[in-house]
């Protein structure tokens, strides 16, 4: 699952790595749903699919 970060936050599950706004991440479904529930991220299309649409 791909997610797009809404606003910057420190990722506690990844050694406090800073996640920047509009960054695309590939995460497992459980982690993606968790971040979306916290309003930290939105679901996004895979990067290769997004490029084909343009």
């Amino acid at each position: 699952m791909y997610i797009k970060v809404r606003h910057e936050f420190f990722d506690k599950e990844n050694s406090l790595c800073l996640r920047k706004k509009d960054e695309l991440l590939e995460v497992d479904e459980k982690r993606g749903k968790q971040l979306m529930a916290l309003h930290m991220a939105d679901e996004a299309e895979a990067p290769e699919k997004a490029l084909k649409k343009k």
Side-chain angles (χ1 to χ4, degrees), residues 18-39:
L18 178 63
R19 300 296 183 188
K20 299 201 179 237
K21 183 178 179 182
D22 296 329
E23 183 178 352
L24 281 176
L25 303 171
E26 185 176 12
V27 296
D28 62 20
E29 192 170 336
K30 181 181 175 187
R31 178 70 172 147
K33 286 182 179 184
Q34 180 185 32
L35 290 171
M36 287 187 284
L38 294 170
H39 302 288

Side-chain angles (χ1 to χ4, degrees), residues 36-47:
M36 287 187 284
L38 294 170
H39 302 288
M40 299 284 197
D42 295 314
E43 191 168 359
E45 294 183 350

Side-chain angles (χ1 to χ4, degrees), residues 7-22:
H7 55 83
E8 294 183 357
F9 68 95
F10 288 100
D11 192 349
K12 291 181 181 180
E13 289 191 14
N14 194 8
S15 302
L16 292 176
C17 180
L18 178 63
R19 300 296 183 188
K20 299 201 179 237
K21 183 178 179 182
D22 296 329

